Amino acid sequence: MAIKLIANYAKRLGLPGYSSHQFSVSVETELHDVTDIAGESAKLYDTLQKAVDEQIQATGFVPPDTYGMNGASSDHRNGNGQTTNGNGHRPNGEGTPITSKQLDLIKKVCRENNVNKDEVERLSMDMFGIGVSKTNRMQASNLIDALFDQYGRKNGNGHRGKYQQQEQARA
Amino acid sequence: MSAVATTPPEMKRGPRNIDDLIANVSASRLSTWSQCRLKFYFRYILGLHKPKSAALHVGSSVHAVLKFWNKARWRGEKSSLKQLHDVYSSSWGDEQEKQPVEWEAGEEDAERKVGWRLLETYFRESSIQPDEKPEGVEVTVEADLSRHGLPKLIGIIDLVRPGQSTGMGGRIVDFKSSGKTPDPEQAGHLNEIQTTSYSVLYRASTSKVESGIELHHLVKTKNPKLVVSTFEPATENQRTRLFRYLESYVSGLQRKDWIPSPGFQCAACEFYRDCRRWH
């Protein structure tokens, strides 16, 4: 009966920008000398380690500092430090655009309180000097707060619960 | 670990689910975790809730006035001292109704005066001009860090002052009331989790890099004073440190690692007695 020796060698290395990469090699071999498992194992370890070390030196894509920061990536910036889309146009007044959830919430508050769309646009212009669709996420968040301040916060809408909870936690 | 349960049921905020605590993390939660894991366990996992302290009551009321003042400037309105005092008085009452403080005789009046004196000092000494329009006030923001294998970071930034020129990122401001004058060198270190979190949140929500971070300490000394600690935009190293804190937070919660961290901070910890019973 053949006796098998199964070995796996894995290595994970840190890379700049809080990233890492890893590589592992596995082999399954038949043991020729069952009395020397330790020797066979050591040979395999050495072989696998060399194989992994040789390959893992190729780091491939290494993310820039701002990778994953919702569009703040430096590779999306033009020479003026402004964020651009693929066509070289700024998608919004101030970068990271309002999310569809934020937009939906604004519409919901308007609907529930019979608020005219123009009123919200005016409020956004007063606060930020731009229309609702041009706001960034931070501005949209403040716009939602202003709407809640003006028209009251409906309990149970679920949208702001976590922040209220966090507010308590901060205290 | 053994039970601690000495806190009366009415003082319980309710336990929280570990998965929920891992999904969203705020700077204050992360700071508590790094300060003492057992304190985190009492506060967030068990949901033990101790009576509000007088200092916290003063801080919340002061905070409410600063929020009003910042929002008024946003609307282009100037706030009179009388208006601000009215907001302070009503906020004081609201806070007392929401979470009553067990005042000793004469203590409430004295503390109320302390809070108002702090605000008077702030309005007199602050570098923020009455016509300075904020970029954000008490703004709720979040950063999805899932690409880094980390939880969503959430937070509320007290104030974002405008950048000095068009296109420049704003200055992130956090208001703090304290009984002691902060050490300028230590303020950066002690508040790093918070300031770096705000930087990450700000950048994620605006795609801009903040032009600086300010901590406005309203100090309750005999003669109240305002101490402003200013910091450069968060560095890549600080961001990496924050991510490591987040990583430790996630793995610690998954391991249910609630080991206490005894130190000088224990003297002011509301869970001191609970901690002594832990084994």
Side-chain angles (χ1 to χ4, degrees), chain A residues 65 77 94 96 126 141 149, chain B residues 71 133 140 206-207 239:
Chain A
D65 289 350
R77 284 171 181 275
E94 294 281 352
T96 319
D126 286 348
S141 183
D149 282 349
Chain B
K71 284 200 169 181
K133 195 169 180 169
T140 49
T206 64
S207 290
R239 211 166 73 98

Side-chain angles (χ1 to χ4, degrees), chain B residues 215-269:
Chain B
L215 297 178
H216 292 201
H217 306 268
L218 287 79
V219 191
K220 291 183 279 186
T221 37
K222 197 174 171 190
N223 290 314
K225 58 183 172 182
L226 168 65
V227 178
V228 178
S229 310
T230 57
F231 307 101
E232 294 293 307
T235 63
E236 184 54 29
N237 282 350
Q238 287 175 313
R239 211 166 73 98
T240 301
R241 275 164 70 98
L242 177 73
F243 287 1
R244 297 218 186 279
Y245 278 119
L246 284 165
E247 197 177 54
S248 141
Y249 172 90
V250 173
S251 59
L253 256 71
Q254 284 168 337
R255 283 198 312 275
K256 299 185 178 176
D257 177 359
W258 318 129
I259 299 297
S261 308
F264 292 119
Q265 74 277 7
C266 297
C269 180

Side-chain angles (χ1 to χ4, degrees), chain A residues 48 80 103 149:
Chain A
L48 297 184
N80 302 321
L103 208 49
D149 282 349

Side-chain angles (χ1 to χ4, degrees), chain B residues 56-108:
Chain B
L56 191 53
H57 188 94
V58 173
S60 303
S61 305
V62 165
H63 200 274
V65 177
L66 293 171
K67 180 180 168 182
F68 174 88
W69 179 63
N70 288 322
K71 284 200 169 181
R73 279 188 292 106
W74 209 343
R75 296 188 299 266
E77 295 168 6
K78 283 187 180 169
S79 314
S80 66
L81 265 187
K82 184 186 177 308
Q83 266 177 317
L84 295 168
H85 191 268
D86 288 347
V87 173
Y88 180 65
S89 300
S90 93
S91 161
W92 188 276
D94 291 347
E95 288 291 331
Q96 182 64 16
E97 208 169 296
K98 243 183 350 194
Q99 239 184 309
V101 176
E102 292 158 10
W103 302 105
E104 288 172 15
E107 189 189 7
E108 184 173 4

